[in-house]
Amino acid sequence: MSHISCFMSHNTTYSRGLFAEFLARAYLRLHGFRIVQSRYITGRNTQRAEIDIIARRGQLLVFIEVKNRPTIHTACDAVTPAQAARLRRAAETYIMKTGWGGNARFDIIAVCGFHIHWIQNAI
């Protein structure tokens, strides 16, 4: 069974989210990014956060939140200020652990059906 049919065979919120992340990773690769890590989770007993995708192109490291929503507006609204703060802390942890010295930013990739919207510097 192919990855796409596997993702689409179970129409749950979780499986739709996995499929959206799959599409986002493919989209980033097409734009010259290397996927450094998927589903990065900060340590236990912290205010845990999960960064969906960490991608790199040259000296740019991008932390990406993927949202699967009907519209780009509902996708952006789904990233609450509290979630954005957790994501920033998780990114800071990642940068400290890896010693990253280049540029970094936060993006949102909104998957609306089969349409992909990439909002750069979103968080």
Side-chain angles (χ1 to χ4, degrees):
M1 181 180 296
S2 74
H3 290 295
I4 292 175
S5 61
C6 177
F7 285 127
M8 298 304 286
S9 65
H10 305 313
N11 198 16
T12 65
T13 302
Y14 180 75
S15 64
R16 286 190 304 268
L18 289 178
F19 183 64
E21 289 177 21
F22 171 80
L23 289 177
R25 286 191 304 272
Y27 188 80
L28 288 163
R29 285 185 188 105
L30 288 172
H31 284 85
F33 282 85
R34 180 174 61 85
I35 306 304
V36 175
Q37 191 155 356
S38 294
R39 312 190 97 206
Y40 172 76
I41 300 174
T42 56
R44 292 185 181 169
N45 301 322
T46 63
Q47 291 184 332
R48 289 176 62 148
E50 179 183 300
I51 298 173
D52 294 328
I53 301 169
I54 302 172
R56 179 180 176 184
R57 184 172 64 194
Q59 289 300 306
L60 175 63
L61 192 66
V62 182
F63 299 93
I64 298 127
E65 178 65 15
V66 179
K67 292 296 182 186
N68 184 20
R69 298 290 190 277
T71 69
I72 191 171
H73 301 293
T74 56
C76 291
D77 289 345
V79 180
T80 65
Q83 182 184 20
R86 283 192 309 274
L87 291 170
R88 276 192 290 279
R89 284 192 303 272
E92 289 168 359
T93 300
Y94 181 86
I95 287 170
M96 286 176 38
K97 282 184 177 179
T98 61
W100 176 252
N103 296 317
R105 72 172 190 230
F106 280 95
D107 294 353
I108 295 173
I109 292 184
V111 178
C112 307
F114 283 96
H115 297 281
I116 297 173
H117 305 277
W118 186 5
I119 304 104
Q120 298 179 6
N121 293 308
I123 297 176

